[in-house]
């Protein structure tokens, strides 16, 4: 029997790990195994487990400085192009003919949309592609307005820009295109309110019409949030509700409606924050409350004390709701 096994068993017995009878049993089993191996040399021995190859040290991924540089250069290129077009049109708008105005806007739109389309086809720089596409949609709408002019041109420009933004959302699905969609819809609400729905008699309900339009914008963005970037879409829906509240504040005797809209939007956002824990919901919701409630209450009461009392009542209701919800959760 190998002496090494004897030494190891003796050490384990002296350390109290094994009893003497256990050491003897292991020694006898080892003797029997050695005897059987000597008597039958062709006997298959149990295979030892293969030692796994040492894992190669994982090198940390290198920072993609080149990739970030390309993104930055793309944003700067788009911004410089828009800046050049803006300077050219502002400085020479009166001297430029209709053909020059149309060609300037069309060229900028083609460059921006073309770059976005190429990046989209190559599946590269999706965020940059979305940003360039959103700028191109707005420029294309402006070029359409310049080409057609008048009331029809404004409506056609909004329609073209909205159609391009919708196609971009379906294809590229970028957050920048959601922002562009919100801006185009907001302009569309103002255009339709001023050019289509407001009577020529100069009725004073145009602000209320715009407020209703922004509620519809909020609904559209809320629906888009079910299919695209939900945080961005629902935050923009809150911004649309804020715009609606502002319109109702301008409307004569629209303070109650402004309070209703300025409460429903934040309530929906804060409920979404409780379910999704996206901080943008809480920030936008609280910002709307802090602006709309004091302004609407002041217009209703024409008294700072009334505003303070209304805010105290609202804060007390919110804190009571927090306590009740916390107690209900603790009892579960």
């Amino acid at each position: 029997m190998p002496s090494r096994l004897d030494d190891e068993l003796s050490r384990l017995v002296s350390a109290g790990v094994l009893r003497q009878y256990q050491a003897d049993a292991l020694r006898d089993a080892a003797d029997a195994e050695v005897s059987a191996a000597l008597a039958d040399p062709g006997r298959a021995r149990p295979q030892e487990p293969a030692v796994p190859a040492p894992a190669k040290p994982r090198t940390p991924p290198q920072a993609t400085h080149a990739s970030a540089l390309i993104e930055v250069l793309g944003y700067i290129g788009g911004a410089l192009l828009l800046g050049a077009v803006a300077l050219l049109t502002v400085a020479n708008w009166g001297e430029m003919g209709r053909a020059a105005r149309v060609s300037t806007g069309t060229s900028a739109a083609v460059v921006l949309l073309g770059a976005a389309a190429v990046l989209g086809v190559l599946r590269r720089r999706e965020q940059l592609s979305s940003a360039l596409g959103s700028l191109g949609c707005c420029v294309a709408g402006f070029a359409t307005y310049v080409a057609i002019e008048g009331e029809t041109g404004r409506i056609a420009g909004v329609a073209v820009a909205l159609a391009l933004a919708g196609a971009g959302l379906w294809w590229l699905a970028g957050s920048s295109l959601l922002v562009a969609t919100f801006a185009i819809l907001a302009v569309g609400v103002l255009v339709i309110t001023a050019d289509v729905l407001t009577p020529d008699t100069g009725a004073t309900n145009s602000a209320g019409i715009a407020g209703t339009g922004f509620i519809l914008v909020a609904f559209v963005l809320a629906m888009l949030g079910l299919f695209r970037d939900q945080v961005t879409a629902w935050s923009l829906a809150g911004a649309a509700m804020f715009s609606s509240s502002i319109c109702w504040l301008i409307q004569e005797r629209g303070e109650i409606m402004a309070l209703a809209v300025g409460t429903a939007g934040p309530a929906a956002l804060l409920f979404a924050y409780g379910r999704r824990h996206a901080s943008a919901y809480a920030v936008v919701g609280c910002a709307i409350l802090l602006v709309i409630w004091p302004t609407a209450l002041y217009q209703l009461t024409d008294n700072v004390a009334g505003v303070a009392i209304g805010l105290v009542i609202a804060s007390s209701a919110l804190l009571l709701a927090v306590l009740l919800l916390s107690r209900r959760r603790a009892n579960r």
Side-chain angles (χ1 to χ4, degrees):
M1 183 184 66
S3 60
R4 183 177 177 183
L5 180 59
D6 277 333
D7 295 338
E8 190 65 17
L9 291 175
S10 299
R11 186 184 67 80
L12 293 175
V13 170
S14 61
V17 178
L18 293 177
R19 301 287 181 88
Q20 186 60 48
Y21 74 91
Q22 292 173 327
D24 293 337
L26 290 174
R27 188 179 293 109
D28 294 338
D31 288 340
E33 186 68 20
V34 171
S35 301
L38 292 175
D40 186 8
R43 179 187 176 191
R45 297 183 180 179
Q47 296 181 353
E48 296 182 359
V51 179
K56 295 182 179 179
R58 182 175 296 177
T59 58
Q62 297 181 354
T64 56
H65 298 294
S67 177
L69 180 61
I70 294 174
E71 291 277 347
V72 172
L73 291 177
Y75 288 120
I76 294 176
L80 290 177
L81 176 61
L82 282 182
V85 172
L87 288 175
L88 183 62
T89 53
V90 170
N92 304 297
W93 187 259
E95 301 176 0
M96 294 173 64
R98 185 166 176 269
R101 295 176 183 178
V102 173
S103 61
T104 301
T106 303
S107 300
V110 168
V111 171
L112 291 170
L113 293 174
V118 170
L119 292 175
V121 170
L122 297 177
R123 296 296 178 184
R124 302 286 180 85
R125 318 290 171 193
E126 294 182 356
Q127 291 184 354
L128 177 59
S129 177
S130 174
L132 294 176
S134 62
L135 296 176
C137 293
C138 298
V139 176
F142 173 74
T144 304
Y145 158 68
V146 172
I148 300 178
E149 295 181 345
E151 175 183 328
T152 306
R154 287 189 290 270
I155 297 175
V158 170
V160 169
L162 189 59
L164 291 172
L169 274 175
W170 173 77
W171 182 27
L172 300 175
S175 299
S176 301
L177 286 163
L178 282 171
V179 178
T181 302
F182 168 73
I184 296 168
L185 287 173
V187 173
V189 167
L190 299 179
V191 167
I192 293 175
T193 299
D195 293 338
V196 179
L197 299 180
T198 301
D200 296 333
T201 56
T204 59
N205 64 343
S206 58
I209 295 173
T212 305
F214 277 111
I215 293 176
L216 297 177
V217 172
F219 177 77
V220 171
L221 289 167
M223 293 299 100
L224 288 176
L226 300 178
F227 305 97
R228 290 295 181 256
D229 184 357
Q230 189 175 84
V231 174
T232 302
W234 285 7
S235 299
L236 291 172
M241 296 292 279
F242 174 76
S243 302
S244 175
S245 300
I246 296 296
C247 291
W248 285 110
L249 287 176
I250 299 173
Q251 175 72 24
E252 185 179 357
R253 294 188 298 275
E255 294 85 359
I256 299 298
M257 191 64 183
L259 275 176
V261 175
T263 304
L269 286 173
L270 294 176
F271 177 78
Y273 173 74
R275 301 298 296 270
R276 299 286 183 176
H277 298 289
S279 57
Y281 297 152
V283 172
V284 175
C286 291
I288 296 173
L289 287 175
L290 289 174
V291 173
I292 298 302
W293 269 72
T295 307
L297 289 175
Y298 182 76
Q299 289 188 195
L300 279 172
T301 62
D302 198 18
N303 189 343
V304 176
V307 176
I309 293 173
L311 294 179
V312 168
I313 294 174
S315 64
S316 300
L318 289 173
L319 293 175
L320 180 61
V322 170
L323 292 175
L324 292 176
L325 292 174
S326 301
R327 184 177 178 182
R328 181 180 177 184
R329 179 169 294 182
N331 290 334
R332 288 184 178 179

